[in-house]
Amino acid sequence: MLKSIAVMTSGGDSPGMNACARAVVRTALYEGVEVWGINNGYHGLLDEDMYQMERKDVGDIIQRGGTFLGTARCKRWEKPEGRMLGYKNLVDRGIQGLVVIGGDGSLRGASLLSKETGLPIVGLPGTIDNDVWGTDYTIGCDTAANTIIDAINKLRDTASAHRRCIVLEVMGHRCGWLAMTAGIAGGAEYILVPEEEYDLESMCKDMEEAYKKGKRYILVVVAEGAGSAKDIGTYIAEHTNIDTRYSVLGHIQRGGSPTVIDRVKASQLGEQAALAIISGLSDVVFGFNKGHVVSINLHDAVNNKKKLDPEYAHLARVLF
Ligand code: ATP
């Protein structure tokens, strides 16, 4: 049994990280284990920016987006010397295990720390992109998808009023999950994702045909990894007679109060991570498979590329 653990958030922030860190802290305290919070991702480990936490330190945060611990992208962590310094700073405080909440990059950094030092580490997938291998779900993806749907609903109103085509660019890094999920839920006519080829020329022909038959508007959702809304919108405007606009949703997708799904799932994952690391387990990531919490090998999680569910792609084609 470990007696002292630490928790941190790293990489891009995502709604639900707070609920997750809260669950780690409260589970540890419930089990009688000391718990430290590391500020600002791997920077906090290097700059000794960490503090021992009490129950009240995670009060009034479950409803907030962002991360109360702060997060960062830390170049120094990519070097072995940086990771050794971080390890020393943990050991100096008697911290015996670390829970890292972050995206695939953060988990990669955690995997290296574990391999190089043997420090027990449990990872939790915290990213709106839902691009971590081995889990159906990452903390924040549901809130981000709902934010996108809200934007799609609003764009649909104005597109319909003007008989326009609107191209909406959404986040997702190199993964099309956010675009595909929000595109299906928002009823977009076209969903362009990095995992699938698309043909703008034939899209333009189909759009013109649809307009001739009386279609009032077309919504195209493009994942940032599949192209830019500006380029695609310009192409459509130049190759059709359809009045076309584009919109880039940007960082609004990262923020906002987490949905029920993100709060509950993040809490479940946080609890499991705390229990696992306290019991001495290491090198695992907790995620979800078909609605159930599962553990995945940490190194497998960072060395494999997640694939887009082919059923989603099929559904999008059927519903077009
Ligand atoms: P998101 O998916 O939201 O972008 P992320 O965790 O993937 O989140 P990254 O910027 O890729 O975000 O990674 C966060 C931090 O993790 C980096 O700034 C760096 O400190 C660490 N990290 C990423 N890749 C590596 C690596 N190959 N080796 C060591 N550390 C890494």
Side-chain angles (χ1 to χ4, degrees):
M1 272 270 294
L2 270 52
K3 290 277 164 235
S4 177
I5 65 166
V7 59
M8 60 182 279
T9 51
S10 170
D13 63 315
S14 66
M17 278 183 162
N18 283 331
C20 187
R22 171 180 178 271
V24 172
V25 171
R26 292 207 168 158
T27 304
L29 294 175
Y30 185 81
E31 296 293 324
V33 170
E34 184 179 285
V35 56
W36 291 67
I38 317 280
N39 286 324
N40 306 320
Y42 291 120
H43 280 309
L45 279 181
L46 300 179
D47 300 339
E48 302 186 61
D49 189 0
M50 51 190 105
Y51 60 106
Q52 201 180 324
M53 302 186 81
E54 296 174 30
R55 204 175 178 285
K56 66 176 168 47
D57 289 321
V58 288
D60 197 20
I61 60 164
I62 194 168
Q63 75 281 16
R64 294 199 206 138
T67 160
F68 78 102
L69 286 170
T71 187
R73 306 201 193 261
C74 175
K75 276 273 157 218
R76 286 180 290 163
W77 195 259
E78 291 170 25
K79 299 209 163 66
E81 310 85 80
R83 296 191 290 271
M84 281 315 290
L85 175 60
Y87 174 64
K88 179 184 171 299
N89 289 335
L90 287 169
V91 171
D92 284 352
R93 287 164 180 78
I95 298 168
Q96 300 164 306
L98 178 65
V99 176
V100 177
I101 308 167
D104 56 348
S106 303
L107 298 177
R108 192 172 297 282
S111 153
L112 290 171
L113 178 66
S114 158
K115 275 186 186 159
E116 291 162 1
T117 66
L119 183 81
I121 295 194
V122 170
L124 292 174
T127 168
I128 63 167
D129 301 337
N130 204 356
D131 60 351
V132 177
W133 183 87
T135 174
D136 297 342
Y137 164 83
T138 60
I139 296 160
C141 70
D142 186 66
T143 307
N146 278 287
T147 300
I148 298 171
I149 291 168
D150 185 47
I152 291 175
N153 291 341
K154 287 169 178 158
L155 292 171
R156 184 195 291 269
D157 290 343
T158 176
S160 173
H162 286 271
R163 288 204 80 195
R164 278 179 179 150
C165 167
I166 298 189
V167 184
L168 174 66
E169 181 180 317
V170 303
M171 286 183 169
H173 203 211
R174 285 187 290 270
C175 172
W177 185 90
L178 262 185
M180 190 57 87
T181 308
I184 290 171
E189 275 71 19
Y190 294 95
I191 305 167
L192 310 182
V193 293
E195 293 87 347
E196 294 209 313
E197 284 187 12
Y198 56 86
D199 178 354
L200 284 181
E201 198 183 325
S202 86
M203 259 173 69
C204 285
K205 278 191 196 130
D206 292 345
M207 286 181 184
E208 292 259 67
E209 281 304 310
Y211 262 61
K212 276 185 204 145
K213 287 181 193 155
K215 188 135 181 76
R216 284 206 63 84
Y217 62 91
I218 286 175
L219 295 173
V220 181
V221 176
V222 56
E224 63 183 349
S228 88
K230 185 177 179 194
D231 292 348
I232 292 164
T234 305
Y235 185 96
I236 294 169
E238 285 173 357
H239 292 81
T240 66
N241 290 313
I242 303 169
D243 192 14
T244 302
R245 298 286 187 276
Y246 71 90
S247 177
V248 180
L249 203 48
H251 281 79
I252 204 159
Q253 291 161 95
R254 285 201 186 278
S257 181
T259 58
V260 171
I261 287 178
D262 278 330
R263 293 183 200 196
V264 173
K265 288 194 163 174
S267 299
Q268 286 177 277
L269 294 179
E271 183 202 23
Q272 289 305 313
L275 292 175
I277 200 143
I278 289 166
S279 72
L281 220 72
S282 182
D283 293 15
V284 291
V285 171
F286 283 94
F288 278 86
N289 186 1
K290 299 188 184 2
H292 296 284
V293 176
V294 290
S295 66
I296 308 136
N297 179 278
L298 171 63
H299 312 292
D300 288 348
V302 298
N303 288 323
N304 286 289
K305 193 173 158 27
K306 187 170 180 175
K307 292 197 175 89
L308 195 62
D309 186 343
E311 286 178 19
Y312 272 28
H314 175 71
L315 183 61
R317 278 194 294 274
V318 171
L319 298 183
F320 156 72

